[in-house]
Amino acid sequence: MKKANWGRRCILFGLLALAGAAAFYQGLVTTFYTIESDKLKEGTSIRLALVTDLHSHIYGGDQSQLAQRILASRPDAVLFAGDIYDNVTPPDGVRLLLAKLAGRVPLYYVTGNHEYWTRDMDTVLALFAEYGVTVLDDRWEYASLHGVQVAVAGVSDPVRADFDRGFDPRAAMAEGFADLPQDVYTILLAHRPNWIGEYQKYPFDLVVSGHNHGGQARIPFLLDGLVGPDEGFFPKYPGGVYRHGALTQVVSRGLSVNWKLPRVFNPPELVVIDVRGTEGFSGDLSKSY
Protein backbone atom coordinates (compact mmCIF):
# COMPACT_ATOMS: atom_id res chain seq x y z
CA MET A 1 0.00 0.00 0.00
CA LYS A 2 2.84 2.37 0.89
CA LYS A 3 4.50 1.69 -2.45
CA ALA A 4 1.21 2.48 -4.23
CA ASN A 5 0.87 5.79 -2.33
CA TRP A 6 4.48 6.65 -3.12
CA GLY A 7 3.86 5.92 -6.79
CA ARG A 8 0.82 8.16 -6.88
CA ARG A 9 2.75 10.94 -5.19
CA CYS A 10 5.53 10.64 -7.72
CA ILE A 11 3.01 10.89 -10.56
CA LEU A 12 1.36 13.90 -8.91
CA PHE A 13 4.68 15.66 -8.37
CA GLY A 14 5.64 14.90 -11.96
CA LEU A 15 2.41 16.37 -13.29
CA LEU A 16 2.81 19.47 -11.13
CA ALA A 17 6.38 19.89 -12.36
CA LEU A 18 5.23 19.63 -15.98
CA ALA A 19 2.42 22.12 -15.35
CA GLY A 20 4.86 24.52 -13.71
CA ALA A 21 7.30 24.22 -16.59
CA ALA A 22 4.51 24.90 -19.09
CA ALA A 23 3.16 27.81 -17.04
CA PHE A 24 6.48 29.63 -16.83
CA TYR A 25 7.91 28.69 -20.21
CA GLN A 26 9.40 31.89 -21.62
CA GLY A 27 10.66 30.57 -24.95
CA LEU A 28 9.68 32.21 -28.21
CA VAL A 29 6.63 30.82 -30.03
CA THR A 30 5.15 31.62 -33.43
CA THR A 31 1.39 31.93 -33.88
CA PHE A 32 -0.13 31.74 -37.37
CA TYR A 33 -3.46 33.27 -38.38
CA THR A 34 -5.23 33.15 -41.72
CA ILE A 35 -7.67 35.83 -42.84
CA GLU A 36 -9.68 35.88 -46.05
CA SER A 37 -10.63 38.98 -47.99
CA ASP A 38 -12.56 39.65 -51.17
CA LYS A 39 -10.33 42.68 -51.80
CA LEU A 40 -7.62 40.26 -52.94
CA LYS A 41 -8.18 38.10 -55.99
CA GLU A 42 -8.67 34.42 -55.40
CA GLY A 43 -5.33 32.65 -55.52
CA THR A 44 -3.34 35.66 -54.30
CA SER A 45 -2.08 36.20 -50.78
CA ILE A 46 0.23 38.25 -48.60
CA ARG A 47 2.10 37.23 -45.46
CA LEU A 48 2.74 39.68 -42.63
CA ALA A 49 5.02 39.21 -39.63
CA LEU A 50 3.77 41.17 -36.62
CA VAL A 51 6.38 42.22 -34.05
CA THR A 52 5.25 44.09 -30.94
CA ASP A 53 6.40 44.93 -27.43
CA LEU A 54 9.97 43.80 -27.88
CA HIS A 55 11.17 46.35 -25.32
CA SER A 56 14.70 45.89 -26.69
CA HIS A 57 14.81 42.28 -25.45
CA ILE A 58 17.48 40.15 -27.15
CA TYR A 59 16.93 36.56 -28.29
CA GLY A 60 19.90 34.35 -28.98
CA GLY A 61 22.67 36.63 -27.75
CA ASP A 62 22.86 38.66 -30.96
CA GLN A 63 19.11 38.67 -31.80
CA SER A 64 19.69 35.88 -34.30
CA GLN A 65 16.97 33.65 -32.86
CA LEU A 66 14.23 36.20 -33.43
CA ALA A 67 15.57 37.46 -36.75
CA GLN A 68 15.93 33.96 -38.15
CA ARG A 69 12.43 33.04 -37.05
CA ILE A 70 10.99 36.12 -38.72
CA LEU A 71 12.87 35.51 -41.97
CA ALA A 72 12.09 31.77 -41.92
CA SER A 73 8.39 32.62 -42.05
CA ARG A 74 9.11 34.35 -45.41
CA PRO A 75 6.97 37.45 -44.79
CA ASP A 76 6.15 39.98 -47.46
CA ALA A 77 6.45 42.70 -44.82
CA VAL A 78 7.33 43.04 -41.13
CA LEU A 79 5.00 45.22 -39.08
CA PHE A 80 6.46 46.76 -35.91
CA ALA A 81 3.44 47.81 -33.86
CA GLY A 82 5.04 49.78 -31.05
CA ASP A 83 7.09 49.40 -27.87
CA ILE A 84 9.98 48.00 -29.87
CA TYR A 85 12.36 50.55 -28.33
CA ASP A 86 12.27 50.73 -24.52
CA ASN A 87 12.66 53.67 -22.17
CA VAL A 88 14.74 51.67 -19.65
CA THR A 89 16.51 48.86 -21.51
CA PRO A 90 19.33 49.98 -23.86
CA PRO A 91 18.36 49.82 -27.56
CA ASP A 92 20.94 47.18 -28.50
CA GLY A 93 18.22 44.61 -29.16
CA VAL A 94 16.46 46.95 -31.58
CA ARG A 95 19.62 47.75 -33.52
CA LEU A 96 20.63 44.08 -33.75
CA LEU A 97 17.21 43.07 -35.07
CA LEU A 98 16.96 45.87 -37.62
CA ALA A 99 20.47 45.17 -38.88
CA LYS A 100 19.51 41.56 -39.61
CA LEU A 101 16.24 42.44 -41.36
CA ALA A 102 17.11 45.62 -43.26
CA GLY A 103 17.18 45.21 -47.02
CA ARG A 104 15.67 41.74 -46.89
CA VAL A 105 11.99 42.57 -46.36
CA PRO A 106 9.93 45.79 -46.19
CA LEU A 107 9.75 47.12 -42.62
CA TYR A 108 6.96 49.33 -41.22
CA TYR A 109 6.81 50.90 -37.77
CA VAL A 110 4.55 52.86 -35.42
CA THR A 111 5.32 54.13 -31.96
CA GLY A 112 4.18 52.76 -28.64
CA ASN A 113 3.98 54.45 -25.26
CA HIS A 114 7.47 53.33 -24.18
CA GLU A 115 9.11 55.08 -27.10
CA TYR A 116 7.58 58.37 -26.00
CA TRP A 117 8.55 57.69 -22.40
CA THR A 118 12.20 57.91 -23.51
CA ARG A 119 11.57 61.66 -23.94
CA ASP A 120 13.97 61.46 -26.88
CA MET A 121 11.92 60.66 -29.95
CA ASP A 122 14.52 62.14 -32.28
CA THR A 123 16.96 59.40 -31.26
CA VAL A 124 14.29 56.71 -31.46
CA LEU A 125 13.14 57.65 -34.95
CA ALA A 126 16.68 58.16 -36.18
CA LEU A 127 17.52 54.55 -35.32
CA PHE A 128 14.62 53.21 -37.39
CA ALA A 129 15.41 55.60 -40.25
CA GLU A 130 19.04 54.41 -40.24
CA TYR A 131 17.85 50.94 -41.28
CA GLY A 132 15.33 52.10 -43.87
CA VAL A 133 12.22 51.42 -41.80
CA THR A 134 9.07 53.21 -42.96
CA VAL A 135 7.64 55.17 -40.02
CA LEU A 136 3.89 55.67 -40.26
CA ASP A 137 2.86 58.54 -38.00
CA ASP A 138 -0.83 59.15 -38.70
CA ARG A 139 -0.41 58.63 -42.42
CA TRP A 140 -0.69 55.91 -45.05
CA GLU A 141 0.99 54.87 -48.28
CA TYR A 142 0.58 52.30 -51.03
CA ALA A 143 2.75 49.18 -51.05
CA SER A 144 3.14 46.24 -53.38
CA LEU A 145 3.48 43.06 -51.33
CA HIS A 146 3.93 39.76 -53.16
CA GLY A 147 2.53 41.47 -56.25
CA VAL A 148 -0.57 42.66 -54.39
CA GLN A 149 -1.27 46.37 -54.00
CA VAL A 150 -2.29 47.30 -50.47
CA ALA A 151 -2.41 50.42 -48.34
CA VAL A 152 -0.39 50.46 -45.13
CA ALA A 153 -1.23 53.02 -42.45
CA GLY A 154 -0.14 53.79 -38.92
CA VAL A 155 -1.10 55.89 -35.91
CA SER A 156 1.12 57.51 -33.31
CA ASP A 157 0.53 56.17 -29.82
CA PRO A 158 -1.98 58.45 -28.04
CA VAL A 159 0.51 59.06 -25.21
CA ARG A 160 2.25 61.39 -27.66
CA ALA A 161 -0.24 64.03 -26.50
CA ASP A 162 1.50 64.06 -23.09
CA PHE A 163 4.80 65.13 -24.67
CA ASP A 164 3.81 66.95 -27.86
CA ARG A 165 1.87 70.05 -26.93
CA GLY A 166 -1.12 70.58 -29.18
CA PHE A 167 -1.16 67.01 -30.52
CA ASP A 168 -4.67 65.55 -30.74
CA PRO A 169 -4.65 61.84 -31.71
CA ARG A 170 -8.18 61.85 -33.05
CA ALA A 171 -7.64 64.99 -35.11
CA ALA A 172 -4.37 63.54 -36.44
CA MET A 173 -6.19 60.41 -37.60
CA ALA A 174 -8.99 62.43 -39.20
CA GLU A 175 -6.46 64.47 -41.17
CA GLY A 176 -4.11 61.61 -42.03
CA PHE A 177 -6.77 59.16 -43.16
CA ALA A 178 -9.21 61.52 -44.90
CA ASP A 179 -8.23 60.15 -48.32
CA LEU A 180 -7.77 56.52 -47.34
CA PRO A 181 -8.64 54.28 -50.33
CA GLN A 182 -11.53 51.84 -50.07
CA ASP A 183 -10.82 49.72 -53.14
CA VAL A 184 -7.61 48.05 -51.89
CA TYR A 185 -6.82 45.99 -48.82
CA THR A 186 -5.91 48.44 -46.05
CA ILE A 187 -3.75 47.61 -43.03
CA LEU A 188 -3.42 49.75 -39.91
CA LEU A 189 -0.55 49.52 -37.43
CA ALA A 190 -1.82 50.80 -34.07
CA HIS A 191 -0.15 49.99 -30.78
CA ARG A 192 -3.25 50.10 -28.56
CA PRO A 193 -6.03 47.62 -29.32
CA ASN A 194 -8.57 49.26 -27.01
CA TRP A 195 -8.80 52.24 -29.38
CA ILE A 196 -10.61 49.98 -31.85
CA GLY A 197 -13.69 52.23 -31.75
CA GLU A 198 -11.62 55.03 -33.27
CA TYR A 199 -10.05 52.78 -35.90
CA GLN A 200 -13.50 51.60 -36.99
CA LYS A 201 -14.31 55.11 -38.19
CA TYR A 202 -12.07 54.50 -41.21
CA PRO A 203 -12.20 51.86 -43.97
CA PHE A 204 -9.46 49.62 -42.59
CA ASP A 205 -9.61 45.90 -43.30
CA LEU A 206 -6.98 44.77 -40.81
CA VAL A 207 -5.70 46.38 -37.60
CA VAL A 208 -2.60 44.96 -35.90
CA SER A 209 -1.76 45.85 -32.31
CA GLY A 210 0.02 44.74 -29.14
CA HIS A 211 0.38 46.64 -25.84
CA ASN A 212 -1.45 44.23 -23.52
CA HIS A 213 1.34 41.60 -23.32
CA GLY A 214 -1.25 38.85 -23.52
CA GLY A 215 -2.74 39.92 -20.22
CA GLN A 216 0.54 38.83 -18.55
CA ALA A 217 -1.00 35.72 -16.96
CA ARG A 218 -3.43 33.22 -18.46
CA ILE A 219 -5.28 30.09 -17.35
CA PRO A 220 -5.91 27.81 -20.35
CA PHE A 221 -9.62 27.48 -21.22
CA LEU A 222 -10.59 29.74 -18.28
CA LEU A 223 -8.81 33.11 -18.42
CA ASP A 224 -7.32 34.64 -21.55
CA GLY A 225 -5.58 37.54 -19.83
CA LEU A 226 -5.33 38.77 -16.25
CA VAL A 227 -4.18 42.37 -16.51
CA GLY A 228 -3.35 44.88 -19.22
CA PRO A 229 -1.83 48.38 -19.28
CA ASP A 230 -4.48 51.13 -18.98
CA GLU A 231 -7.28 48.54 -18.78
CA GLY A 232 -6.54 46.95 -15.42
CA PHE A 233 -7.85 43.46 -14.79
CA PHE A 234 -9.21 41.28 -17.59
CA PRO A 235 -8.30 43.34 -20.68
CA LYS A 236 -10.78 43.02 -23.53
CA TYR A 237 -8.13 42.36 -26.20
CA PRO A 238 -5.21 40.47 -24.59
CA GLY A 239 -4.21 38.66 -27.77
CA GLY A 240 -5.67 36.80 -30.72
CA VAL A 241 -8.08 37.59 -33.56
CA TYR A 242 -11.21 39.69 -33.10
CA ARG A 243 -13.87 40.56 -35.65
CA HIS A 244 -15.64 43.93 -35.79
CA GLY A 245 -17.97 43.64 -38.75
CA ALA A 246 -15.81 43.79 -41.88
CA LEU A 247 -12.75 44.80 -39.83
CA THR A 248 -10.37 42.16 -38.47
CA GLN A 249 -8.20 42.96 -35.48
CA VAL A 250 -5.09 40.91 -34.67
CA VAL A 251 -3.43 41.50 -31.31
CA SER A 252 -0.01 40.05 -30.53
CA ARG A 253 0.86 38.92 -27.01
CA GLY A 254 4.22 40.60 -27.46
CA LEU A 255 7.87 39.62 -27.27
CA SER A 256 9.26 41.12 -24.09
CA VAL A 257 10.50 38.97 -21.22
CA ASN A 258 10.82 40.48 -17.74
CA TRP A 259 12.15 37.97 -15.23
CA LYS A 260 10.88 40.14 -12.35
CA LEU A 261 7.35 39.74 -13.68
CA PRO A 262 7.18 36.38 -15.46
CA ARG A 263 4.55 35.58 -18.05
CA VAL A 264 2.24 32.70 -17.01
CA PHE A 265 0.93 30.32 -19.70
CA ASN A 266 1.75 33.22 -21.98
CA PRO A 267 5.09 32.78 -23.78
CA PRO A 268 6.48 35.63 -25.92
CA GLU A 269 4.93 35.54 -29.35
CA LEU A 270 5.80 36.30 -32.96
CA VAL A 271 2.61 36.53 -35.02
CA VAL A 272 2.43 35.62 -38.70
CA ILE A 273 -0.70 36.60 -40.64
CA ASP A 274 -1.69 35.20 -44.02
CA VAL A 275 -4.26 37.24 -45.93
CA ARG A 276 -5.76 35.17 -48.73
CA GLY A 277 -7.82 36.49 -51.59
CA THR A 278 -11.39 35.37 -52.22
CA GLU A 279 -12.54 37.79 -54.92
CA GLY A 280 -14.82 35.77 -57.16
CA PHE A 281 -15.09 33.00 -54.56
CA SER A 282 -18.66 31.78 -54.03
CA GLY A 283 -18.14 29.38 -51.10
CA ASP A 284 -18.86 29.72 -47.37
CA LEU A 285 -16.75 32.41 -45.69
CA SER A 286 -18.31 31.97 -42.23
CA LYS A 287 -15.00 30.57 -40.92
CA SER A 288 -12.62 33.18 -42.21
CA TYR A 289 -9.80 32.50 -39.79
Side-chain angles (χ1 to χ4, degrees), residues 27-241:
L28 179 62
V29 302
T30 305
T31 303
F32 292 85
Y33 298 118
T34 299
I35 300 167
E36 293 178 328
S37 173
D38 60 6
K39 287 189 177 180
L40 275 67
K41 292 183 179 180
E42 185 180 3
T44 64
S45 66
I46 57 174
R47 171 167 284 193
L48 310 168
L50 173 59
V51 175
T52 78
D53 303 279
L54 180 66
H55 292 280
S56 302
H57 185 74
I58 299 175
Y59 288 88
D62 62 352
Q63 206 63 291
S64 58
Q65 182 184 356
L66 176 57
Q68 289 171 7
R69 187 169 291 221
I70 292 171
L71 293 172
S73 71
R74 302 184 70 179
D76 298 305
V78 178
L79 312 179
F80 294 106
D83 282 3
I84 308 302
Y85 197 112
D86 193 65
N87 61 307
V88 176
T89 305
D92 301 12
V94 183
R95 183 176 295 278
L96 288 167
L97 180 59
L98 296 181
K100 287 178 168 56
L101 299 179
R104 306 186 68 174
V105 61
L107 307 174
Y108 296 91
Y109 166 73
V110 294
T111 53
N113 49 299
H114 279 260
E115 280 95 350
Y116 282 102
W117 287 350
T118 67
R119 298 177 180 269
D120 189 4
M121 285 304 299
D122 288 343
T123 297
V124 172
L125 297 178
L127 176 57
F128 286 91
E130 179 182 346
Y131 291 97
V133 180
T134 299
V135 179
L136 296 166
D137 283 333
D138 307 296
R139 68 181 191 87
W140 68 273
E141 62 179 51
Y142 284 113
S144 180
L145 305 179
H146 199 199
V148 176
Q149 188 180 53
V150 300
V152 186
V155 294
S156 305
D157 189 81
V159 80
R160 175 178 173 181
D162 295 340
F163 303 94
D164 187 350
R165 182 174 296 180
F167 177 76
D168 180 338
R170 292 176 177 83
M173 280 190 275
E175 181 179 353
F177 304 143
D179 59 347
L180 199 68
Q182 300 189 37
D183 58 343
V184 299
Y185 194 79
T186 306
I187 304 160
L188 175 69
L189 284 67
H191 183 60
R192 298 183 188 237
N194 58 326
W195 272 58
I196 189 64
E198 296 298 322
Y199 312 147
Q200 284 182 278
K201 296 177 181 179
Y202 305 94
F204 295 115
D205 299 291
L206 172 66
V207 176
V208 296
S209 304
H211 188 57
N212 281 329
H213 293 208
Q216 197 62 41
R218 306 171 66 206
I219 301 176
F221 309 110
L222 294 176
L223 176 66
D224 197 31
L226 177 63
V227 63
D230 309 315
E231 294 187 61
F233 289 107
F234 315 121
K236 192 171 183 180
Y237 307 109
V241 179

